[in-house]
Amino acid sequence: MSMLTPPGMGGKYRITGDTYPRMRPPRRRGRLVAAVVASVAALGVAGWGTLQLIDVFTGGDGSVSGHAADCRTKVAKAAPVKALPKPATITVNVYNATTRSGLAKQTADELKKRGFKIGDVGNADKQFDKKVKGTGMLIGPATALDTTLPVLSTQLTDAERRTDAARKGAALDLVIGDKFTSLTQRPAADSAVTKLTAPEQVAAVTTAKKKTC
């Protein structure tokens, strides 16, 4: 029999007043604390993720256009390349050091078509006659090493290059050797000349092709 059974029915206790005991389980504070901690952690992760997305779209500088600006900055900061002399400003003497006749004139005519100025044309002197075993030799003053010689070498890429400190004038010599067959194919030579004489133009085209931002 229940201890709260009303009197007269065998109960031991009597309930008085209008307040009754509430029969419910105790609060589970452990679960409540865990839920709060989980919520805070979730908010923290969400906030961190948001910051990461902002960095991606702004390039880390707080601006939405940061990525595009970064691309423009890279292009603007590219180190300028020194333009070399154009073929029209370079005079070339063409000499034949082989036993095959007509090579000097034939080569000089082709160089003229490609924009070079032509100086002397003929047979090589005793210093080089029948002594150039490769395709050819390019000779110029010391100042030509990093200026006009590289431009002329685009026309005969495997030719040997030489400079002479005692040489006077700016003209270059192209001495044709035993293994010479022809100048470098014109499309490849023209492309190489453009890279040397108009590097800004080449850089602009390359940037336009590769820019993805």
Side-chain angles (χ1 to χ4, degrees), residues 23 29 66 110 115 133 136 138 162 211:
M23 307 302 289
R29 295 184 178 179
E110 181 60 27
K133 304 303 179 184
L138 308 179
R162 287 189 183 183
K211 189 175 181 180

Side-chain angles (χ1 to χ4, degrees), residues 57-89:
F57 287 103
T58 63
D61 62 359
S63 171
V64 175
S65 60
H67 184 56
D70 184 55
C71 291
R72 291 194 299 271
T73 299
K74 289 181 180 179
V75 174
K77 289 183 179 180
V81 179
K82 180 182 177 181
L84 299 186
K86 295 182 180 298
T89 65

Side-chain angles (χ1 to χ4, degrees), residues 85-104:
K86 295 182 180 298
T89 65
I90 302 174
T91 299
V92 184
N93 303 317
V94 183
Y95 301 112
N96 184 6
T98 75
T99 58
R100 292 171 288 165
S101 61
L103 283 182

Side-chain angles (χ1 to χ4, degrees), residues 1-210:
M1 181 181 297
S2 172
M3 296 179 67
L4 299 179
T5 303
M9 297 182 66
K12 185 177 180 180
Y13 300 97
R14 178 179 296 178
I15 299 175
T16 60
D18 56 0
T19 303
Y20 301 91
R22 295 182 180 180
M23 307 302 289
R24 65 180 181 183
R27 296 180 179 177
R28 298 180 179 179
R29 295 184 178 179
R31 291 186 179 181
L32 180 60
V33 172
V36 172
V37 172
S39 298
V40 173
L43 289 174
V45 171
W48 180 82
T50 301
L51 290 176
Q52 294 302 308
L53 287 175
I54 292 174
D55 282 343
V56 169
F57 287 103
T58 63
D61 62 359
S63 171
V64 175
S65 60
H67 184 56
D70 184 55
C71 291
R72 291 194 299 271
T73 299
K74 289 181 180 179
V75 174
K77 289 183 179 180
V81 179
K82 180 182 177 181
L84 299 186
K86 295 182 180 298
T89 65
I90 302 174
T91 299
V92 184
N93 303 317
V94 183
Y95 301 112
N96 184 6
T98 75
T99 58
R100 292 171 288 165
S101 61
L103 283 182
K105 185 178 185 306
Q106 177 184 339
T107 303
D109 290 344
E110 181 60 27
L111 285 174
K112 186 175 181 179
K113 292 178 183 178
R114 299 185 183 191
F116 290 86
K117 290 182 177 181
I118 302 301
D120 297 334
V121 178
N123 293 325
D125 59 25
K126 293 182 179 180
Q127 181 181 0
F128 300 109
D129 190 28
K130 302 180 183 62
K131 296 177 182 178
V132 180
K133 304 303 179 184
T135 59
M137 185 179 296
L138 308 179
I139 308 170
T143 56
L145 181 61
D146 297 318
T147 55
T148 54
L149 271 179
V151 178
L152 180 57
S153 69
T154 61
Q155 310 304 307
L156 192 59
T157 55
D158 53 356
E160 179 185 350
R161 301 185 204 178
R162 287 189 183 183
T163 59
D164 183 357
R167 185 184 179 96
K168 296 181 180 180
L172 307 179
D173 292 349
L174 189 163
V175 183
I176 300 172
D178 293 339
K179 293 183 179 180
F180 177 87
T181 55
S182 66
L183 294 174
T184 301
Q185 293 297 311
R186 186 163 184 175
D190 288 348
S191 177
V193 167
T194 300
K195 290 180 180 179
L196 294 176
T197 60
E200 297 85 359
Q201 177 182 338
V202 175
V205 172
T206 302
T207 301
K209 289 182 178 179
K210 292 185 177 180

